[in-house]
Amino acid sequence: MTEASLSLLGAKVVVATSSDENHPPENIIDGNTNTFWMSTGMFPQEFIIRLPEPTMVSAVTVDSYNVKHLKIEKKMSQNASQFEFATQKEFQNTEGHLQSNAISLNGSSATDLRFIITTGHDHFVSVHRVTVQN
Amino acid sequence: MVKLRARCLLLGDPAVGKSALSHIFHSDGTLFQKNYSMTTGVELLMKCVNIPETNDSVELYIIDSAGKETLVETCEKMWGEPSLLCLVFDLTSEHSFANCSRWMERVRVHCHGLHVPGVLVGNKSDLSTRREVQASMAQEWAQSQGLEYHETSAKEMENCDAPFLSLARIFHSLYHECRETIQSLSPG
């Protein structure tokens, strides 16, 4: 999955808490860091990526800006009623260039990945690309 | 079209007219409570403000927090991380103006180093004979704190929308600045 964008592989962003129509959540999974989804005020902010099938995920890479703290939750199957905590990470502030963070998920199986941005280095954050490594 | 959301803290000494101001703004000038009823906790009011000459809007989540000293500590827990600040004092009370710096200190703790734009509001401008704080003085202090200064009369419903509309506009331009910065970024 590292080569092709998530959207080409059939993944979808099914939930996103902010909407600037020029920067829609689909930009997160188009594989392009020049396009982005942007939050439009207040925290927490979140989005959910639905994978086309249960997938073993060893890590995700998140390209973003202004994100300070990210929590990831996952759903093991489409039928699971609740998300389970997967991991969390503090992001360093970067100026003038994107944050790029690889986050290990220990090879657990998941159908849905929920990204919760609990705080930011500014009022607004952007997410440019999420990739999933098997 | 962009819909922004801002958490706006409404602070200041007791009985300066915070709730009166926010209710008038929220009700489009239809509601002025004649009898004083002290806010003892935190009241949340939401109003959507359209930004002129754009299709964008800002949802202001106004957090009207009790001004009474003994209640502040409890209320602070509900302030969260503010996006905007509306600091109110009573133009007929020098004391309420002097206390504004204490309110600023309190807010700073909750901002976690983030720049939080704000306005300073001198309320009760209708009581001109009892005025204790001159506009020039308030203006000067506001400027030193990076706040925009407004005078209002909640009772006469004068100028009450101005501070909130101004906050919405400031937040809107902040968003656009931030978006431009992000658009010009290079990959990580």
Side-chain angles (χ1 to χ4, degrees):
Chain A
M1 263 198 197
T2 45
E3 300 305 316
S5 71
L6 277 170
S7 57
L8 281 178
L9 295 160
K12 282 188 168 64
V13 180
V14 289
V15 166
T17 45
S18 275
S19 63
D20 175 340
E21 59 184 10
N22 295 313
H23 301 281
E26 294 75 45
N27 287 351
I28 296 171
I29 53 168
D30 65 2
N32 182 352
T33 53
N34 290 320
T35 62
F36 56 90
W37 167 75
M38 187 154 167
S39 78
T40 54
M42 305 213 292
F43 293 100
Q45 293 283 338
E46 69 172 73
F47 57 91
I48 296 173
I49 296 176
R50 177 160 297 160
L51 303 168
E53 57 192 359
T55 308
M56 291 297 276
V57 180
S58 64
V60 293
T61 303
V62 179
D63 294 287
S64 57
Y65 195 65
N66 283 339
V67 174
K68 191 171 186 178
H69 184 259
L70 175 78
K71 194 161 88 178
I72 300 178
E73 296 181 350
K74 60 172 182 190
K75 233 190 218 182
M76 307 278 244
S77 74
Q78 219 72 268
N79 303 325
S81 59
Q82 280 186 336
F83 280 90
E84 291 172 23
F85 173 82
T87 186
Q88 55 186 345
K89 190 169 180 177
E90 202 82 21
F91 285 15
Q92 291 298 319
N93 192 15
T94 55
E95 237 163 78
H97 64 93
L98 293 182
Q99 302 165 309
S100 188
N101 286 274
I103 303 159
S104 167
L105 285 177
N106 300 320
S108 48
S109 173
T111 57
D112 292 38
L113 292 169
R114 180 186 193 180
F115 297 77
I116 305 167
I117 300 157
T118 53
T119 52
H121 291 288
D122 202 343
H123 294 285
F124 311 103
V125 303
S126 58
V127 179
H128 297 244
R129 183 175 62 187
V130 171
T131 50
V132 169
Q133 286 86 40
N134 309 89
Chain B
M1 194 192 78
V2 189
K3 188 167 237 164
L4 302 176
R5 293 193 199 102
R7 196 179 179 92
C8 175
L9 271 188
L10 181 59
L11 302 177
D13 272 12
V16 297
K18 296 182 294 299
S19 303
L21 263 179
S22 61
H23 282 145
I24 285 168
F25 171 66
H26 184 248
S27 68
D28 296 312
T30 57
L31 195 83
F32 176 72
Q33 208 173 350
K34 288 207 170 98
N35 297 316
Y36 176 65
S37 151
M38 185 174 79
T39 306
T40 53
V42 165
E43 193 186 6
L44 176 68
L45 292 168
M46 196 285 277
K47 187 169 172 176
C48 190
V49 176
N50 293 317
I51 304 297
E53 291 156 35
T54 68
N55 290 319
D56 303 345
S57 56
V58 180
E59 279 179 356
L60 288 178
Y61 291 78
I62 301 168
I63 298 182
D64 179 12
S65 185
K68 198 168 168 60
E69 188 66 44
T70 47
L71 300 170
V72 175
E73 211 175 305
T74 322
C75 293
E76 267 190 71
K77 295 185 180 110
M78 285 171 274
W79 289 2
E81 272 187 51
S83 327
L84 297 165
L85 168 68
C86 182
L87 181 53
V88 188
F89 71 96
D90 175 353
L91 286 165
T92 71
S93 156
E94 167 93 63
H95 184 71
S96 73
F97 175 61
N99 266 343
C100 285
S101 28
R102 286 207 52 199
W103 286 107
M104 283 302 281
E105 282 166 31
R106 283 201 178 106
V107 174
R108 243 169 239 136
V109 179
H110 292 263
C111 297
H112 306 285
L114 235 68
H115 164 66
V116 173
V119 292
L120 176 71
V121 180
N123 188 36
K124 310 194 188 180
S125 63
D126 52 290
L127 301 173
S128 51
T129 53
R130 283 166 49 191
R131 185 189 267 264
E132 287 182 4
V133 183
Q134 294 314 311
S136 56
M137 213 162 95
Q139 178 87 56
E140 197 178 308
W141 185 79
Q143 215 161 20
S144 73
Q145 303 294 312
L147 305 171
E148 207 175 272
Y149 182 58
H150 294 266
E151 286 193 1
T152 58
S153 165
K155 181 168 165 280
E156 302 298 332
M157 298 189 184
E158 261 175 37
N159 212 28
C160 296
D161 287 355
F164 295 106
L165 299 183
S166 170
L167 283 171
R169 270 198 304 271
I170 296 171
F171 196 67
H172 182 253
S173 44
L174 210 60
Y175 178 75
H176 279 271
E177 278 169 35
C178 191
R179 200 169 71 172
E180 270 169 40
T181 307
I182 290 170
Q183 265 158 345
S184 64
L185 291 174
S186 52

